[in-house]
Amino acid sequence: MHLSLSSLLPSTYLSPSTPPFILILSKNQNSALLFPTPSNFYSQSSLKYTNTTTVSIKQNTFELTLLVMENLFRLADHDEFFSRRCVWVNGPVIVGAGPSGLATAACLREQGVPFVVLERAECIASLWQKRTYDRLKLHLPKQFCQLPKLPFPEDFPEYPTKRQFIEYLESYAKHFEINPQFNECVQSARYDETSGLWRVKTVSTAGSTRNEIEYICRWLVVATGENAERVMPEIEGLNEFCGGVSHACEYKSGEKFSGKKVLVVGCGNSGMEVSLDLCNHNASPSMVVRSSVHVLPKEVLGKSTFELAVMMMKWLPLWLVDKLLLILAWLVLGNIEKYGLKRPSMGPLELKNETGKTPVLDLGALAKIKSGDIKVIPGIKRFTRNQVELVNGQKLDVDSVVLATGYRSNVPSWLQEGELFSKNGFPKAASPHGWKGNAGLYAVGFSRRGLSGASSDAMKIAQDIGTVWKAETKQQKKRTTACHRRCISQF
Ligand SMILES: NC(=O)C1=CN([C@@H]2O[C@H](COP(=O)(O)OP(=O)(O)OC[C@H]3O[C@@H](n4cnc5c(N)ncnc54)[C@H](OP(=O)(O)O)[C@@H]3O)[C@@H](O)[C@H]2O)C=CC1
Ligand SMILES: O=C(O)C(=O)Cc1c[nH]c2ccccc12
């Protein structure tokens, strides 16, 4: 049976026949702590049922409410329910405090819908803050990267630096009063058919203690991103290799590689830029291109290629835009196949749509490839202690390896659901349809359309939840009064 939020609240509905819960609502009513009352507590005849009373815990004021919530009681199907702290969220739970989670939270704030944001790291946008290299800038012009309702500051350059982007995200969170629960990692989330609610289990590791918490909510917004986890390839002998092996997400700058022979595995945007940065720090990179890659100029005649593509897409079919992009690329960059950079048979935009593989925007790596400062090499067969053997039989001495092998979604590792998301952790439906699932489940920032894709998902989701939330809170206000009288008359 599906019971709606309005039947869960008001919290003042008491019945002597069902064991009560104690609900501590936070003052802003965003969330509540939920405890089952111990039986002795309930049976004490001296106990007077009061509907609400105000208590103070650690300088915060809470409303303490004794209540019976019959359908919440149905959640208490296992003993384990009683062993962890339980938090009822009056609104959606958003998993992830990156750009996608922040954008959704901001749009919900504007609608007046309360929410809780859960974040495994100790800061917002941890990929940007902790797992990116120093020289990173946005690849696309700023108008394609800003989040809803708050534009970038006027004085930001066309391609903001990573520092500027993070600064913007921090001010964004502050402006919309988004205060994520940091250091809280979601272990599992599943829909409880009986109660019609989502149960989100987290482990909180703030300080030295480990706390298990269960959030119960009507809506769940997945905002954990396309790049939640690094991809580590399994390559024969890599464990025996004696030099340093790291992933591109740990790479900061080429400084510590000066004078070293570095093998960069992968030629996406990360692999290309890491190779360029290594050159600029007097290291000798060899970049593995095992299949194919589309390299496009970042700008053509002072206009961003991405912007040109967006403009052309308004008038022309995708296949034609792809053809034109390849002609522009050929005019600006020349034939890159002779340097070992084979182009995929599909055009760059079609490939992005079909597989999610992003074209590389050239920031200077191509000139280094042409000059021979970056060597392009084919796939890897195996590693030995200090060498790499390639598929063509060639052997190279290597001091260090940087794996620029990409990222993946981690949704399947925690979300117990198979309708909206497929096994690869992305929504099954192609953009723009993958943002909404069943029973109050949403996905933001998985459309493979960068930050502008995340923004448009966020706006749709907030609108969708906002409509239901407003209808239900209106209804609930009416009922609260009615129930309240009933309670008083009962006791
Ligand atoms: N400033 C910006 O906006 C930036 C944006 N990005 C974005 O971040 C996302 C991630 O980019 P990135 O980190 O480059 O990852 P990608 O997934 O784009 O690229 C991974 C690369 O690693 C290769 N690879 C994977 N496994 C192996 C293997 N075993 N042997 C050899 N090669 C291998 C892939 O080759 P294959 O194609 O053959 O599988 C591919 O070339 C992308 O969307 C990218 O556009 C990244 C950097 C900067
Ligand atoms: O980096 C990504 O994954 C993006 O989606 C943004 C992006 C960078 N370069 C592009 C070229 C075509 C489409 C999207 C992008």
Side-chain angles (χ1 to χ4, degrees):
M1 180 172 61
H2 177 90
L3 289 169
S4 71
L5 183 71
S6 50
S7 70
L8 272 174
L9 293 173
S11 51
T12 47
Y13 174 41
L14 291 169
S15 149
S17 60
T18 331
F21 285 83
I22 293 175
L23 187 79
I24 301 183
L25 291 169
S26 63
K27 207 171 178 193
N28 60 9
Q29 306 238 327
N30 270 10
S31 61
L33 293 178
L34 182 71
F35 302 100
T37 44
S39 49
N40 59 347
F41 183 74
Y42 182 56
S43 63
Q44 280 170 7
S45 55
S46 61
L47 181 73
K48 289 247 172 14
Y49 286 104
T50 42
N51 290 333
T52 56
T53 127
T54 304
V55 295
S56 286
I57 300 173
K58 282 194 189 163
Q59 294 165 351
N60 289 320
T61 309
F62 295 93
E63 294 278 289
L64 175 67
T65 308
L66 267 181
L67 79 159
V68 177
M69 292 166 114
E70 281 162 290
N71 61 338
L72 271 184
F73 188 68
R74 289 195 184 100
L75 290 168
D77 45 359
H78 313 290
D79 289 347
E80 49 147 13
F81 180 78
F82 296 94
S83 67
R84 65 168 66 80
R85 216 175 106 199
C86 201
V87 178
W88 155 257
V89 178
N90 186 20
V93 161
I94 300 168
V95 186
S100 301
L102 295 176
T104 311
C107 296
L108 287 166
R109 178 70 79 219
E110 284 237 322
Q111 304 253 345
V113 180
F115 53 82
V116 166
V117 181
L118 303 177
E119 168 55 54
R120 66 177 170 179
E122 76 274 19
C123 59
I124 61 160
S126 69
L127 173 66
W128 293 86
Q129 303 223 40
K130 311 228 154 184
R131 282 169 280 146
T132 50
Y133 41 84
D134 298 344
R135 58 161 284 148
L136 179 73
K137 287 184 184 175
L138 297 179
H139 276 184
L140 309 183
K142 63 176 178 179
Q143 70 266 30
F144 299 105
C145 301
Q146 55 200 7
L147 303 185
K149 328 257 181 213
L150 186 68
F152 282 127
E154 293 250 318
D155 60 348
F156 269 26
E158 183 167 25
Y159 299 96
T161 64
K162 137 173 142 173
R163 205 48 268 154
Q164 288 169 322
F165 187 58
I166 294 166
E167 221 174 83
Y168 165 74
L169 293 177
E170 295 278 12
S171 62
Y172 191 86
K174 199 164 166 205
H175 182 265
F176 294 102
E177 297 175 73
I178 306 166
N179 298 303
Q181 302 290 118
F182 291 118
N183 299 301
E184 236 179 286
C185 189
V186 172
Q187 308 292 303
S188 70
R190 72 174 177 90
Y191 183 64
D192 186 286
E193 295 273 352
T194 333
S195 60
L197 297 167
W198 286 90
R199 305 181 62 167
V200 184
K201 294 181 187 176
T202 71
V203 168
S204 150
T205 49
S208 56
T209 51
R210 186 191 139 96
N211 273 318
E212 288 184 18
I213 304 173
E214 178 162 4
Y215 292 85
I216 293 171
C217 53
R218 169 75 188 279
W219 298 280
L220 180 63
V221 181
V222 179
T224 47
E226 298 171 353
N227 306 306
E229 247 41 81
R230 65 185 78 173
V231 168
M232 295 295 267
E234 282 182 22
I235 306 175
E236 190 188 330
L238 188 56
N239 289 336
E240 281 95 76
F241 178 72
C242 292
V245 178
S246 56
H247 189 273
C249 67
E250 299 161 273
Y251 183 94
K252 295 293 157 210
S253 97
E255 208 178 314
K256 66 176 191 190
F257 296 97
S258 178
K260 297 258 183 342
K261 291 189 273 297
V262 186
L263 184 76
V264 178
V265 185
C267 58
N269 277 301
S270 300
M272 288 276 185
E273 202 169 355
V274 165
S275 300
L276 172 63
D277 191 59
L278 284 165
C279 274
N280 292 342
H281 287 90
N282 300 314
S284 313
S286 297
M287 185 177 70
V288 176
V289 182
R290 70 166 174 187
S291 57
S292 56
V293 58
H294 274 303
V295 183
L296 302 177
K298 184 174 147 190
E299 293 182 339
V300 179
L301 301 173
K303 196 117 191 114
S304 128
T305 309
F306 184 84
E307 192 176 350
L308 284 173
V310 170
M311 274 161 45
M312 289 194 283
M313 283 301 293
K314 291 202 178 121
W315 308 103
L316 308 171
L318 184 112
W319 67 267
L320 186 52
V321 177
D322 266 347
K323 285 260 180 298
L324 293 169
L325 285 175
L326 289 174
I327 292 169
L328 286 177
W330 184 80
L331 287 172
V332 178
L333 308 174
N335 175 19
I336 60 170
E337 302 226 350
K338 62 181 179 205
Y339 305 107
L341 301 169
K342 198 173 159 307
R343 282 200 186 271
S345 52
M346 233 182 243
L349 296 186
E350 191 186 0
L351 190 72
K352 174 82 183 161
N353 280 350
E354 295 292 316
T355 69
K357 194 166 168 177
T358 320
V360 170
L361 294 180
D362 179 46
L363 308 175
L366 207 56
K368 299 283 185 193
I369 290 170
K370 288 177 180 171
S371 66
D373 293 314
I374 299 174
K375 285 192 208 68
V376 173
I377 58 173
I380 298 167
K381 198 186 238 166
R382 67 172 80 89
F383 283 93
T384 56
R385 286 172 57 82
N386 50 15
Q387 279 194 319
V388 61
E389 187 183 332
L390 307 175
V391 288
N392 63 3
Q394 196 189 347
K395 289 181 184 168
L396 292 178
D397 291 339
V398 176
D399 300 314
S400 272
V401 177
V402 179
L403 300 166
T405 43
Y407 300 84
R408 61 181 165 79
S409 160
N410 67 6
V411 174
S413 72
W414 59 270
L415 184 65
Q416 292 162 25
E417 192 269 350
E419 289 276 316
L420 178 61
F421 282 91
S422 82
K423 285 200 181 97
N424 68 0
F426 283 74
K428 286 178 190 169
S431 171
H433 301 294
W435 60 278
K436 184 175 178 177
N438 297 324
L441 180 66
Y442 297 89
V444 50
F446 291 93
S447 67
R448 292 173 157 142
R449 281 164 193 270
L451 292 157
S452 61
S455 294
S456 88
D457 291 340
M459 291 189 282
K460 285 188 271 193
I461 292 170
Q463 184 67 47
D464 208 56
I465 296 177
T467 309
V468 180
W469 197 87
K470 281 174 199 158
E472 291 201 351
T473 36
K474 247 193 223 152
Q475 202 183 341
Q476 184 205 318
K477 273 186 195 138
K478 276 189 222 136
R479 281 212 207 158
T480 313
T481 7
C483 275
H484 191 70
R485 277 194 221 108
R486 195 164 72 220
C487 296
I488 292 170
S489 65
Q490 262 178 9
F491 295 98

